[in-house]
Amino acid sequence: MNVMPDDLLEKLQACGAHVTTTSPPQGSLLHVRVQAADLLQAALVVRDAGLYPVFMTAVHTDPHIALVYQFAAWDSPLRVLLATTAEQGAQAPSLTALFPGMQWHEREARDMFGITFEGHPDMRPLFMCDEDRDLYPLRKNPGQLKDVDLAGTGEQAP
């Protein structure tokens, strides 16, 4: 079963994305890896294709923090994993202007990893109190970090 629209692939590749597709029995899965500077453009392509956000998560890798967004289609078995990286303590573009429901997820990533999302309307701490503002509980110790291949290509994350 292939529900991958060719124009979606072309538009994402035009954003500078590295794209890998798979077709599990449940539908199509698109792995998209972009530089942080191209994240908004790729998310706009995904939104305009009619996909909605399922979740966003962050993973502390070496030397970055990987940001992974999953999107799904309402009318077909299509999923898109959109991945980028951010430096520790750095900023990443906020997707809240495109998907208002991302506000909570980005605030959580700020509390747990210390990533600030540029353009986010409310970066107040979600979980952490003021006394713990420099404590990021989901960052790993340097000896526990792993290199991550976000797109399954055998290449290391950007």
Side-chain angles (χ1 to χ4, degrees):
M1 173 189 310
N2 186 1
V3 295
M4 190 66 57
D6 290 336
D7 61 326
L8 176 61
L9 290 171
E10 291 171 11
K11 289 177 181 175
L12 285 168
Q13 288 169 337
C15 296
H18 180 275
V19 181
T20 306
T21 63
T22 57
S23 294
Q26 309 87 324
S28 293
L29 180 59
L30 184 65
H31 297 266
V32 181
R33 188 177 43 157
V34 296
Q35 297 293 326
D38 299 322
L39 179 63
L40 275 174
Q41 184 181 3
L44 183 61
V45 168
V46 168
R47 186 202 66 187
D48 290 349
L51 281 77
Y52 65 92
V54 177
F55 71 85
M56 176 262 198
T57 190
V59 179
H60 190 185
T61 62
D62 187 19
H64 311 284
I65 295 176
L67 301 174
V68 181
Y69 302 81
Q70 185 180 95
F71 298 90
W74 293 104
D75 56 353
S76 65
L78 169 64
R79 297 276 175 150
V80 173
L81 290 177
L82 180 59
T84 191
T85 56
E87 298 295 329
Q88 293 181 33
Q91 289 190 347
S94 173
L95 299 187
T96 58
L98 300 174
F99 305 102
M102 281 290 146
Q103 286 190 34
W104 188 91
H105 297 281
E106 291 175 354
R107 286 176 64 192
E108 178 186 36
R110 182 243 165 249
D111 280 4
M112 299 295 132
F113 295 95
I115 300 168
T116 355
F117 291 87
E118 185 177 354
H120 191 285
D122 180 12
M123 282 298 339
R124 285 179 301 151
L126 186 63
F127 302 117
M128 307 301 283
C129 61
D130 284 338
E131 294 81 24
D132 294 332
R133 80 179 71 195
D134 294 327
L135 172 68
Y136 305 111
L138 294 184
R139 283 193 190 168
K140 295 180 173 70
N141 294 327
Q144 297 173 313
L145 294 173
K146 297 179 183 177
D147 290 333
V148 173
D149 176 14
L150 294 176
T153 61
E155 301 173 18
Q156 294 305 313

